[in-house]
Amino acid sequence: VRARTPAAVADDRSAPARPSALSGRPAGSRAVQLSWSASANARDVVSYDIHQGDTKIHSVGGGQTVTVVTGLRPGTSYSFTVRARDAAGNVSPATPAVRLTTPGSGDGRATAPTGFRAASQREGGAYYVDLSWVPPRVDGEVAEYQLHLDGRPVTSLVFGGRAPRDRATYSFYVGREAGVSHRVRIRAMLPDGTWGGFSAERTVTTRPR
């Protein structure tokens, strides 16, 4: 089999022109719609990158100038920019940022673990607190939680492999003394990298069998 490679050409280091006229609007309490004008040299653009703050969160094809960003939180402010990208990987400067706030309550209840329960048990002369909860219903997997004990964060729980979706459980050591009361609550690390709302706070007391 004979084959001929194409002639060598100079590396393309010229970035596309900046997209313009970025605008947006909320699309419900958990999404926004963004639109923009194509890059001036749109013929060379293969995709547009959407950034939330400093993080790239989405890409669309070079022929598309509208997109919907989902998985957002109600009552929360966000900042978005768009960059054009060509086939050589060159990226344009970012558009001016558009700032949008999703409607609804930002009190965290929609992203808090629910059905939170806490109970004390004694084993081997020591006391443990057993927790169980229903993970928040959000877009994506929730694999990390932060545990607060008596008003202070004490540990992070990270589920390896497949994180529980229906009910999660965790048990931790609290000492050897009976009759001690503790306040406990948890919150989830959401797929967008922010902390969700706190669960209800429970009070549990170590009791002898």
Side-chain angles (χ1 to χ4, degrees):
V1 175
R2 294 180 180 275
R4 181 183 295 275
T5 58
V9 295
D11 289 342
D12 178 8
R13 298 183 180 179
S14 178
R18 182 202 315 260
S20 60
L22 176 64
S23 63
R25 63 177 181 83
S29 62
R30 296 181 178 275
V32 298
Q33 178 177 302
L34 303 175
S35 61
W36 59 92
S37 295
S39 172
N41 51 341
R43 183 177 58 183
D44 301 324
V45 172
V46 297
S47 66
Y48 289 99
D49 298 340
I50 292 83
H51 290 247
Q52 179 184 314
D54 296 327
T55 304
K56 176 184 170 182
I57 59 168
H58 190 43
S59 289
V60 298
Q64 187 172 335
T65 56
V66 177
T67 191
V68 175
V69 178
T70 60
L72 305 180
R73 298 166 63 181
T76 305
S77 296
Y78 294 92
S79 175
F80 299 97
T81 56
V82 174
R83 297 173 182 261
R85 182 183 297 271
D86 66 18
N90 300 307
V91 180
S92 76
T95 62
V98 62
R99 291 175 172 80
L100 300 169
T101 299
T102 51
S105 172
D107 59 9
R109 286 180 296 182
T111 59
T114 57
F116 184 55
R117 300 171 185 168
S120 170
Q121 64 147 318
R122 187 170 183 265
E123 183 177 337
Y127 291 96
Y128 297 82
V129 172
D130 297 331
L131 306 178
S132 68
W133 65 92
V134 176
R137 301 306 184 196
V138 295
D139 291 334
E141 184 178 78
V142 176
E144 181 177 352
Y145 296 85
Q146 186 182 66
L147 170 65
H148 281 228
L149 184 68
D150 299 326
R152 297 182 300 174
V154 291
T155 191
S156 289
L157 323 176
V158 179
F159 289 93
R162 179 171 295 181
R165 295 187 61 86
D166 296 323
R167 180 162 285 277
T169 59
Y170 180 70
S171 182
F172 64 99
Y173 170 83
V174 290
R176 294 181 171 272
E177 186 177 351
V180 179
S181 294
H182 296 284
R183 295 176 291 111
V184 61
R185 61 179 182 171
I186 60 169
R187 61 179 178 175
M189 174 67 77
L190 304 179
D192 66 1
T194 61
W195 288 112
F198 279 105
S199 68
E201 185 174 79
R202 304 301 183 195
T203 299
V204 61
T205 302
T206 57
R207 301 184 186 280
R209 288 178 178 173

